[in-house]
């Protein structure tokens, strides 16, 4: 027993010490700033924050309210076409419908045309991952090893280009706008390009390398719900064709909510429309292809202007106003509590 006790101190000295190094950082001796919160600094912080948020929120709300927008639900007005599209076997039958409307005021500046969908859920996990990013970059990939199933290949083994549920469900209505001017009909010029994000157009989406697009997509087939192959999405402009088509790129950026709108076209500011859309009578000519009755959805076409804060969405302004009101109210509550406690302290000192 004596021998064991004699070895204990030596073993303790041999063990590494767990004590931190004697440095300012590890011993927590670094200089620090500890603010002294007085009633003046606390109240000024709350009131200044409230005033800032309220002023910014009011500016955003006024800016959003100055946006001119017209929205038309054409899934109800094109009821005949909607009934035709309920049967998937009628996909090759063209259905056209016209919608007349009137602009009571001029829509000056840049005017944007959107299509809107209601009750269309793009945020399902299986739907979101149903794509092949490598394929969309123009690479040769085996789509059967991707997340595109069941929209990967046909029964004969021909791969789909592009594959996946997102691409297969792409919005494919065609919308044209006409201006009724002095008993004559003028087609409003619409811009198909320049509507997608620059990073999407130039980084995330690329066509396969080949001398022409038809040979680049040789050996592939269009998705089942498409009416034409991917290399014919825009037959007028080869730079807006294939995977780098603006309509396709915008659709592939899925929405987080069941009701959403996507940019479809921009009004080309030329001739009668150099300053925007003048007030008057207009007509939408729509080639109705996208079915919505099966999921109890609705389709909209939207014309809207733009301001420095964006479109006609007042959410950000309302959020700023709510935060500013909460900060200001908190400041008043703290002031009332401080005055009440100060009166009690003065009374007890007397």
């Amino acid at each position: 027993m004596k021998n064991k006790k004699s070895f204990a101190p030596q073993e303790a000295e041999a063990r590494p010490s767990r004590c931190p190094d004697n440095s300012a950082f590890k011993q927590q001796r670094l200089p620090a700033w500890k603010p002294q919160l007085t009633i003046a600094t606390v109240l000024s912080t709350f009131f200044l924050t409230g005033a800032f948020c309220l002023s910014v929120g009011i500016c955003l709300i006024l800016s959003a309210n100055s946006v001119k927008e017209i929205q038309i639900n054409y899934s109800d007005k094109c009821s005949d076409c909607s009934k035709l599209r309920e049967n998937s076997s009628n996909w090759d039958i063209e259905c056209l419908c016209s919608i007349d409307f009137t602009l009571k005021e001029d829509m000056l500046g840049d005017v944007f045309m959107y299509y809107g969908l209601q009750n269309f859920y793009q945020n399902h996990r299986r739907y979101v991952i149903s794509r092949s990013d490598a394929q969309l970059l123009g690479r040769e990939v085996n789509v059967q090893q991707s997340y595109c199933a069941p929209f990967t290949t046909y029964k004969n083994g021909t791969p789909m280009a592009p594959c996946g549920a997102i691409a297969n469900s792409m919005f494919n209505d065609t919308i044209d706008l006409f201006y009724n001017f002095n008993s004559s009909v003028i087609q409003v010029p619409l811009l198909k390009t320049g509507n997608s994000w620059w990073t999407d157009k130039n980084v995330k989406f690329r066509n396969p390398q080949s001398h022409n697009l038809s040979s680049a997509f040789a050996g592939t087939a269009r998705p089942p719900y498409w009416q034409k192959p991917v290399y014919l999405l825009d037959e007028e402009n080869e730079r807006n064709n294939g995977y780098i088509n603006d309509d396709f790129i915008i659709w592939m950026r899925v929405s987080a909510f069941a009701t959403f709108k996507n940019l479809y076209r921009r009004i080309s500011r030329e001739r009668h429309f150099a300053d925007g859309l003048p007030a008057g009578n207009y007509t939408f000519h729509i080639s109705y292809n996208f079915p919505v009755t099966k999921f109890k959805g609705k389709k909209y076409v939207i014309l809207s202007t733009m301001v420095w804060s964006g479109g006609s969405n007042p959410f950000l302004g309302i959020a700023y106003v709510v935060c500013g009101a909460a900060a200001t109210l908190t400041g008043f509550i703290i002031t009332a509590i401080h005055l009440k406690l100060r009166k009690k302290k003065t009374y007890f000192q007397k």
Side-chain angles (χ1 to χ4, degrees), residues 8-83:
Q10 296 178 359
E11 291 178 358
E13 292 178 0
R15 294 174 188 164
S17 176
R18 294 185 179 180
C19 296
D21 296 336
N22 189 19
S23 62
F25 177 76
K26 293 186 176 181
Q27 295 296 333
Q28 299 183 9
R29 294 196 302 265
L30 289 175
W33 176 68
K34 185 178 180 180
Q36 300 294 328
L37 297 179
T38 62
I39 189 63
T41 57
V42 171
L43 290 179
S44 60
T45 300
F46 274 103
F47 284 121
L48 289 176
T49 302
F52 172 77
C53 291
L54 286 173
S55 59
V56 173
I58 292 173
C59 291
L60 290 174
I61 291 175
L62 294 176
S63 177
N65 291 336
S66 66
V67 174
K68 294 181 180 179
E69 181 177 293
I70 181 170
Q71 179 175 297
I72 297 174
N73 179 358
Y74 71 91
S75 55
D76 295 337
K77 296 186 177 182
C78 301
S79 57
D80 294 338
C81 293
S82 180
K83 292 179 180 178

Side-chain angles (χ1 to χ4, degrees), residues 76-264:
D76 295 337
K77 296 186 177 182
C78 301
S79 57
D80 294 338
C81 293
S82 180
K83 292 179 180 178
L84 180 69
R85 291 292 176 247
E86 289 181 6
N87 189 350
S88 59
S89 61
N90 297 327
W91 67 270
D92 58 340
I93 302 176
E94 187 177 16
C95 189
L96 302 175
C97 104
S98 299
I99 301 174
D100 298 325
F101 67 98
T102 302
L103 280 182
K104 297 180 180 180
E105 298 180 356
D106 295 340
M107 299 183 72
L108 301 178
D110 294 329
V111 182
F112 301 85
M113 181 188 294
Y114 300 84
Y115 63 85
L117 290 176
Q118 181 178 340
N119 207 35
F120 188 89
Y121 289 85
Q122 287 189 311
N123 56 0
H124 191 280
R125 177 182 176 276
R126 191 66 188 85
Y127 181 89
V128 172
I129 66 174
S130 184
R131 58 187 291 165
S132 173
D133 291 325
Q135 184 193 48
L136 298 176
L137 283 171
R139 302 172 185 171
E140 293 185 4
V141 295
N142 184 2
V143 294
Q144 290 183 338
Q145 297 179 355
S146 65
Y147 292 104
C148 290
F151 302 101
T152 54
T153 60
Y154 287 93
K155 293 181 179 180
N156 59 1
T158 304
M160 299 179 189
C163 69
I166 306 177
N168 184 59
S169 61
M170 177 181 168
F171 182 85
N172 57 351
D173 284 359
T174 302
I175 306 173
D176 294 315
L177 181 60
F178 293 86
Y179 177 43
N180 303 319
F181 178 70
N182 293 337
S183 69
S184 61
V185 178
I186 303 173
Q187 184 171 5
V188 179
L190 303 176
L191 298 175
K192 297 181 180 179
T193 58
N195 301 324
S196 60
W197 292 14
W198 186 92
T199 52
D200 289 348
K201 185 83 170 181
N202 297 277
V203 178
K204 294 184 178 181
F205 293 84
R206 295 176 186 173
N207 285 325
Q209 296 293 332
S210 182
H211 62 281
N212 60 54
L213 279 181
S214 59
S215 61
F217 290 98
T220 63
R222 58 177 175 79
Y225 290 172
W226 284 29
Q227 297 176 335
K228 51 187 176 181
V230 66
Y231 54 86
L232 293 178
L233 290 178
D234 189 353
E235 302 179 25
E236 300 176 357
N237 186 1
E238 188 174 352
R239 295 183 178 180
N240 188 39
N241 223 334
Y243 293 149
I244 59 174
N245 176 265
D246 274 40
D247 293 338
F248 174 71
I249 291 174
I250 291 173
W251 178 259
M252 293 300 291
R253 183 176 286 277
V254 297
S255 174
F257 302 99
T259 300
F260 61 92
K261 65 179 182 180
N262 286 337
L263 181 60
Y264 181 69

